[in-house]
Amino acid sequence: SREISGLTKVYGILADPIHHVKTPQMLNALVAREGRDGVMVPFHVSSEELPRLVDGLKAMKSLGGFVVTVPHKTAVVDLLDGVSDSARRIGACNVVRREEDGRLIGDMLDGKGFVGGLKAAGIDPKGRSVYLAGAGGAANAIAFAFVEAGVARLTIANRTRAKAEDLAARLADAVPGAPVEIGTADPSGHDIVANATSLGLKAGDALPLDASRLTADQIVAEVIMQPEETAILAAARAKGCRTHPGKPMLVCQLDLMADFLGMRSLGAAA
Ligand code: NDP
């Protein structure tokens, strides 16, 4: 049976609010399935107290690492001892590993999870033309992952155009020659159309792009998991497009997180 003991590795999730998070249930289930000795618990912390908590966690020898979510993904970067190249470029981290010597090392897996979820469904963005709606946290990570995956063209469209321009400039800076442009609400002429805005979470939300311009040869992908079929996915389906929901992004990310946090190489549970 699985019991917490003096040998158990402890993992946390940093968030505020935190009551709604599902990552502990999902990663604890994964750890249990694999018979490993680790547990993830909520670390509820305010933005104001984040630096004090993160500094203290460096001293906690039984800590394996932690997941970071809203609103701490950006602020945590400057509190760590090191971050991956892609996390530094994106300016955000959503997972942090504690090394033996106490150093905290971060990575950002939102974008890799999204692209990995597409690939798992047989959709490889390499060499394809991609339209991305949004320029917020998720869109930033996804845009970098698309460029890293070798898309032939990436068009970014956002309500606040300046944020799309800023993202495009950072992409061009990080990856010289990145095929990035700023778009309008019209997604026509792209192979893959992705929504990375929060539009579609609530019933009655406006559509994130002009669905009347979609054609049956396009794949329409979503970051939102709930509802399972957002209004834009329903509109895309009605147009004959292949659709790709938000869930695979999370499923792929849990896998990447478990690997990054070393959960699969822990000792066996008692
Ligand atoms: P942010 O707040 O950082 O960004 C929100 C984005 O949505 C911005 O581009 C914003 O545009 C746009 N937006 C919001 N409201 C409107 C509106 N009324 N009209 C037009 N555009 C609007 O949020 P995140 O990037 O962190 O999250 C976005 C979504 O991604 C969420 O729904 C979240 O649930 C989902 N997500 C899913 C994950 C998964 O594993 N499936 C993982 C992470 C996130 P503007 O810049 O103009 O404000």
Side-chain angles (χ1 to χ4, degrees):
S1 79
R2 189 162 170 268
E3 198 176 15
I4 293 172
S5 76
L7 293 172
T8 305
K9 269 284 181 221
V10 178
Y11 296 90
I13 174 165
L14 276 53
D16 186 27
I18 204 163
H19 62 273
H20 63 290
V21 299
K22 301 272 191 328
T23 315
Q25 296 91 306
M26 292 186 290
L27 280 177
N28 285 327
L30 182 151
V31 165
R33 256 195 326 272
E34 307 214 346
R36 305 286 101 190
D37 192 8
V39 63
M40 177 170 281
V41 292
F43 292 173
H44 188 185
V45 60
S46 66
S47 295
E48 194 184 29
E49 297 278 32
L50 182 72
R52 233 153 57 89
L53 177 68
V54 171
D55 197 46
L57 289 174
K58 294 179 187 180
M60 184 173 160
K61 288 178 189 277
S62 52
L63 185 79
F66 50 88
V67 169
V68 185
T69 187
V70 180
H72 303 313
K73 290 188 201 182
T74 302
V76 80
V77 173
D78 290 333
L79 306 174
L80 303 177
D81 300 296
V83 298
S84 68
D85 283 348
S86 61
R88 186 164 22 76
R89 290 171 180 168
I90 297 160
C93 274
N94 73 340
V95 63
V96 175
R97 176 175 65 223
R98 185 185 182 280
E99 305 282 354
E100 288 285 327
D101 60 8
R103 286 182 316 132
L104 297 178
I105 307 296
D107 201 355
M108 178 56 173
L109 301 175
D110 273 343
K112 288 171 192 153
F114 186 77
V115 169
L118 282 174
K119 285 186 178 167
I123 305 163
D124 190 346
K126 188 173 167 119
R128 313 293 285 277
S129 161
V130 176
Y131 174 96
L132 181 66
N140 262 264
I142 290 168
F144 274 87
F146 271 136
V147 168
E148 282 162 16
V151 298
R153 174 174 163 223
L154 178 65
T155 303
I156 303 169
N158 192 50
R159 170 179 62 178
T160 310
R161 188 185 164 98
K163 279 171 68 182
E165 284 169 350
D166 175 69
L167 171 55
R170 282 182 294 109
L171 280 163
D173 224 36
V175 185
V180 184
E181 52 194 78
I182 305 299
T184 64
D186 179 358
S188 51
H190 296 79
D191 305 315
I192 300 171
V193 175
N195 175 41
T197 74
S198 44
L199 285 177
L201 275 174
K202 296 188 303 275
D205 275 354
L207 292 176
L209 51 92
D210 184 355
S212 73
R213 307 288 300 173
L214 292 171
T215 49
D217 56 336
Q218 292 177 307
I219 296 168
V220 179
E222 177 65 274
V223 289
I224 293 170
M225 279 178 296
Q226 201 52 250
E228 224 167 287
E229 186 177 70
T230 56
I232 190 63
L233 289 186
R237 191 162 52 83
K239 285 272 188 176
C241 303
R242 175 171 178 188
T243 61
H244 179 83
K247 181 103 181 276
M249 172 180 183
L250 179 72
V251 171
C252 177
Q253 243 201 115
L254 287 171
D255 234 49
L256 295 171
M257 280 180 174
D259 284 339
F260 183 81
L261 291 170
M263 288 176 154
R264 289 195 173 87
S265 49
L266 294 175

